[in-house]
Amino acid sequence: MTPVGLLVDLTVLLVAAVATVAVRTHDPVRQAVVLSQLGLLLALLFTFLQAPDVALSQLAVGTVVTPLLIMLTVRKIRRQTGSATGGGRRGRGGNR
């Protein structure tokens, strides 16, 4: 087995392990962090498979943009939920 083949096999195993962790994680923020790590591993895998353009796309989208969007969405939902249950928003809406 070549060293590159060994790296590919090792990376595939790590991708499978991190993907399993991502599925089993219940907190969306932690899931986004694990998803970012998964994107980084996939970028490494694509680099080992000599697909640098796909690796760069995976690095940008899978490692940075998607987890960032998930974290910002969770933050916005938690703020809206917190203000709705805190009475601030409900109270203002009820006066109208």
Side-chain angles (χ1 to χ4, degrees), residues 5-44:
L6 187 63
L7 283 174
V8 168
D9 290 345
L10 181 66
T11 308
V12 167
L13 288 174
L14 286 173
V15 165
V18 173
T20 303
V21 171
V23 168
R24 296 185 60 89
T25 303
H26 296 290
D27 183 30
V29 174
R30 289 184 181 167
Q31 221 171 22
V33 171
V34 174
L35 186 65
S36 177
Q37 294 169 352
L38 179 64
L40 186 62
L41 284 173
L42 284 172
L44 275 176

Side-chain angles (χ1 to χ4, degrees), residues 23-78:
V23 168
R24 296 185 60 89
T25 303
H26 296 290
D27 183 30
V29 174
R30 289 184 181 167
Q31 221 171 22
V33 171
V34 174
L35 186 65
S36 177
Q37 294 169 352
L38 179 64
L40 186 62
L41 284 173
L42 284 172
L44 275 176
L45 180 64
F46 291 137
T47 302
F48 294 146
L49 293 175
Q50 298 186 1
D53 52 342
V54 180
L56 284 175
S57 297
Q58 178 62 37
L59 195 63
V61 175
T63 305
V64 177
V65 175
T66 302
L68 183 64
L69 287 175
I70 291 171
M71 292 174 101
L72 289 174
T73 303
V74 168
R75 180 177 172 210
K76 185 170 184 172
I77 289 172
R78 285 184 178 167

